[in-house]
Amino acid sequence: MAPKQRHPFIDGLKDVPVERKKEMNKIKIWMNSQPHLPHISEDYIYLFLHAGYYNVERTKSYIENYFTIRASAPAIFSDRDPYSPRMQVMIGLANLIRLPKTTPEGYRVLLYSVRDPDPTKMIFSDAVKGFCMYNDCVLSEDGLAEGYVVIFDMRGVSIGHLARVSLPALKAFMFYIQDAHPARLKGIHILNTASWIHHIMRIVVPLVRSEILSLIKFHKGMIPEGIPHEILPADYGGEAPSVDELDTHTKSMVDKYSEWLKESACFKADETKRVKKASWWGLFSGGSAPEKLDEKTILQNLQID
């Protein structure tokens, strides 16, 4: 069934990069030769092109990975109803915040923190699903953003949360974020870093490329280095509204995006029409492995500001 709403920007793309029409047409022609890929709007193509800095080959890779992972990981990318009982539980466990002001570089700042610290309420695949749904809404609101800085506050996170991590869901999520998510990631800050962070890194490091690891900064306190204090929420010493106010605003968007999110589940590859499996398929079948990293060295060099 054809979607009734506009994707990936619910209100349409405001500033279309018409000077990139040539690259967009190249991608459109290529997609027409890929029977397993869904039909998408020109706005959708511009989103991928922008994320790939308008490199056509890189954009093709993003598109292929994006729609294939959405088909191969239904626990994360299907049944995207924000009003379902399970999603309502997940929404209540975390604060999901998009700061009102950007950094001096023009980057959007997203802040995630724990609202309910009870780990027994967390279903990891549902948490990842909710995270991806929220980020799709962010991309819809922002259009072609210059970049994103992500802040994770570890207050309230416990070993109990780590014990509930599903490795298949984590593996799929890390692949999606690194090789498919159509956004320019500029930095990752971990606040109130737990003393047992090394346990998390031992799980994550084998799944993450070195260029992503280089974006991560760990902080013992609540202030992320390099982010102007004034753009942070009042709870963090900034001039923006409080975390509760900003989180309430985020969750007020659920009604606007409810049907849009449910429709978005149809944007996935159709494996019955694929001519040849993508080269990265082994990541999920065990046929090949991601880039080799020296885990011991990375953990030894792990520093917390």
Side-chain angles (χ1 to χ4, degrees), residues 154 190 193-202 218 299 302 304:
M154 286 193 71
I190 313 297
T193 305
S195 60
W196 44 271
I197 188 67
H198 291 76
H199 295 301
I200 296 178
M201 296 306 292
R202 288 189 187 280
F218 298 88
L299 292 174
L302 178 61
I304 302 174

Side-chain angles (χ1 to χ4, degrees), residues 2-298:
K4 296 179 180 179
Q5 302 198 43
R6 302 175 77 169
H7 295 265
F9 309 110
I10 196 170
D11 298 317
L13 181 58
K14 299 296 189 293
D15 298 309
V16 177
V18 291
E19 72 279 6
R20 298 294 187 172
K21 186 84 171 178
K22 181 178 179 180
E23 290 91 339
M24 190 277 297
N25 283 329
K26 286 182 179 180
I27 296 297
K28 183 185 283 190
I29 292 170
W30 169 76
M31 289 194 72
N32 287 337
S33 71
Q34 307 297 312
H36 63 291
L37 294 179
H39 174 74
I40 61 174
S41 66
E42 292 185 358
D43 284 359
Y44 227 140
I45 294 175
Y46 279 124
L47 176 63
F48 286 110
L49 277 167
H50 183 76
Y53 295 89
Y54 297 94
N55 179 296
V56 170
E57 293 307 311
R58 185 186 301 172
T59 300
K60 289 179 182 179
S61 178
Y62 281 161
I63 290 173
E64 173 61 44
N65 294 341
Y66 178 91
F67 292 114
T68 302
I69 188 63
R70 288 190 168 224
S72 63
I76 298 174
F77 296 106
S78 66
D79 301 323
R80 310 185 93 206
D81 181 0
Y83 286 117
S84 71
R86 288 174 63 156
M87 279 298 98
Q88 283 294 296
V89 170
M90 290 303 105
I91 289 173
L93 295 182
N95 296 305
L96 309 172
I97 293 170
R98 172 172 161 266
L99 297 186
K101 294 183 178 179
T102 63
T103 68
E105 300 86 357
Y107 304 152
R108 276 287 178 192
V109 180
L110 307 178
L111 172 62
Y112 303 96
S113 62
V114 173
R115 174 175 286 272
D116 184 337
D118 183 357
T120 66
K121 296 179 181 178
M122 187 189 79
I123 299 172
F124 185 74
S125 60
D126 284 353
V128 172
K129 178 189 288 190
F131 180 88
C132 291
M133 289 165 62
Y134 171 64
N135 277 276
D136 284 355
C137 296
V138 167
L139 294 181
S140 172
E141 290 291 308
D142 289 344
L144 304 181
E146 186 62 31
Y148 287 92
V149 175
V150 179
I151 301 174
F152 292 101
D153 189 341
M154 286 193 71
R155 280 182 304 174
V157 179
S158 67
I159 287 285
H161 290 97
L162 181 60
R164 299 183 70 82
V165 170
S166 159
L167 289 180
L170 177 63
K171 190 175 183 180
F173 175 66
M174 296 309 299
F175 177 81
Y176 175 73
I177 289 298
Q178 295 179 93
D179 295 289
H181 188 49
R184 298 176 176 180
L185 184 59
K186 297 295 184 177
I188 303 170
H189 295 266
I190 313 297
L191 307 185
N192 295 298
T193 305
S195 60
W196 44 271
I197 188 67
H198 291 76
H199 295 301
I200 296 178
M201 296 306 292
R202 288 189 187 280
I203 297 173
V204 171
V205 163
L207 305 176
V208 182
R209 292 197 303 270
S210 56
E211 59 264 33
I212 299 296
L213 286 170
S214 68
L215 297 176
I216 303 175
K217 293 184 179 180
F218 298 88
H219 310 277
K220 290 182 179 178
M222 295 179 61
I223 306 300
E225 177 187 344
I227 305 295
H229 290 180
E230 62 269 18
I231 75 172
L232 296 173
D235 317 53
Y236 293 81
E239 299 175 5
S242 70
V243 166
D244 280 345
E245 290 176 276
L246 293 170
D247 184 64
T248 298
H249 174 71
T250 294
K251 288 160 187 176
S252 70
M253 295 166 54
V254 169
D255 190 55
K256 174 181 178 180
Y257 278 96
S258 177
E259 292 302 315
W260 183 89
L261 284 166
K262 287 189 282 186
E263 279 190 355
S264 69
C266 75
F267 290 101
K268 59 184 179 181
D270 183 344
E271 294 301 334
T272 66
K273 297 180 181 179
R274 183 186 292 276
V275 175
K276 186 178 179 180
K277 285 184 178 180
S279 61
W280 59 264
W281 191 259
L283 283 174
F284 298 97
S285 66
S288 62
E291 178 186 348
K292 182 68 175 176
L293 295 170
D294 185 347
E295 178 182 348
K296 182 177 179 181
T297 300
I298 291 171

